[in-house]
Amino acid sequence: YPLCALAVSDERPACHSMSRIYYRHLVGVTHTEEQAKKEAAMTMVVDGPNDEGEYFLRPGKLQDRFPSPYDNELAARAANNGAYPPDLSLIIKAAHHDGLNYVYSLLTGFKEAPAGRELMAGQYYNPYFSGGAISMAPPLMDGAVDYPDGTVATVSQMAHDVCQFLHWCGEPEYVERKMWGLPVFTSLFIAWITVTYHKRYLFGPYLTQKIVWKKPPYMKF
């Protein structure tokens, strides 16, 4: 899983948080329970207070969030030339109306700045980013991870996988919602037919009858 691998890589240290995702969310989706526990245990989490009223560090557990790479916003800006790395939990839905394609283009769109275009120190040129100057270094490079099934780790392949993972983070119920769509709309269609027929059967006589006023014989006018 490229995103997880790159997050703990020494060559590409993580700079974005995913505060809405817990390690337990990975179970049955990208990891088995044992793999998720092992992944969580690789981080140290501040917990407490203990019986002495002190906070302490412990290995992560399934109920813990993904750790933030920085203690606070000021620390994040200081490490990224004043730019604040956004949280990635909902980035696919929040960044752009076409989030998947936008993030994919952003990850694969790093290029050399065109002639005459000057960038500040620590900035990189990406035509898909607003203004073209971005403080994030290219996060993907060929061969950065090893796929268990032997898939070649190209930038485009990893960018595709990262986008799919981020899409799941933003909408973990997406597949289940799509699976429920067919039976729900089928049931609604059957219910509509049933109600329509029942309405015509019950109210048909009233809707088709003709009311005629007949003057009584005793009325002479």
Side-chain angles (χ1 to χ4, degrees):
Y1 307 99
L3 184 64
C4 298
L6 290 173
V8 298
S9 171
D10 292 333
E11 297 178 358
R12 291 289 189 275
C15 58
H16 292 273
S17 61
M18 300 189 73
S19 60
R20 296 177 181 269
I21 306 300
Y22 293 75
Y23 284 102
R24 67 174 183 269
H25 293 154
L26 302 178
V27 177
V29 180
T30 60
H31 294 63
T32 64
E33 182 173 350
E34 291 302 319
Q35 289 173 335
K37 287 182 177 179
K38 183 177 179 181
E39 187 78 22
M42 295 173 60
T43 63
M44 299 301 294
V45 179
V46 178
D47 201 350
N50 56 18
D51 295 337
E52 287 75 29
E54 297 179 350
Y55 289 88
F56 58 93
L57 291 175
R58 62 163 176 80
K61 301 179 181 179
L62 289 180
Q63 66 266 27
D64 293 322
R65 303 172 186 262
F66 279 18
S68 175
Y70 305 105
D71 294 332
N72 51 63
E73 180 178 342
L74 292 178
R77 290 186 181 277
N80 292 277
N81 300 312
Y84 182 54
D87 187 271
L88 296 183
S89 303
L90 302 175
I91 195 67
I92 293 295
K93 301 180 67 175
H96 196 267
H97 69 277
D98 189 12
L100 279 173
N101 289 328
Y102 171 72
V103 173
Y104 178 86
S105 300
L106 193 67
L107 292 174
T108 59
F110 288 89
K111 301 178 180 179
E112 292 292 333
R117 179 61 185 271
E118 296 183 1
L119 300 175
M120 298 175 60
Q123 289 188 332
Y124 303 86
Y125 180 73
N126 192 318
Y128 296 100
F129 188 73
S130 179
I134 185 172
S135 295
M136 179 180 69
L140 303 176
M141 60 181 181
D142 292 334
V145 297
D146 295 324
Y147 285 90
D149 60 356
T151 300
V152 180
T154 61
V155 169
S156 59
Q157 178 64 55
M158 290 184 292
H160 175 270
D161 293 339
V162 168
C163 288
Q164 294 302 315
F165 179 75
L166 292 177
H167 183 221
W168 169 80
C169 291
E171 293 185 285
E173 77 290 345
Y174 180 81
V175 175
E176 184 178 359
R177 188 175 72 242
K178 293 294 184 181
M179 291 179 62
W180 274 101
L182 180 61
V184 167
F185 282 102
T186 301
S187 301
L188 290 175
F189 179 72
I190 295 175
W192 175 74
I193 293 178
T194 303
V195 171
T196 302
Y197 175 80
H198 191 63
K199 173 181 177 297
R200 293 175 62 87
Y201 177 77
L202 286 180
F203 295 95
Y206 301 99
L207 297 176
T208 57
Q209 68 180 353
K210 182 179 181 181
I211 301 177
V212 179
W213 170 258
K214 298 181 66 175
K215 184 169 65 174
Y218 59 84
M219 296 184 68
K220 302 301 182 180
F221 55 86

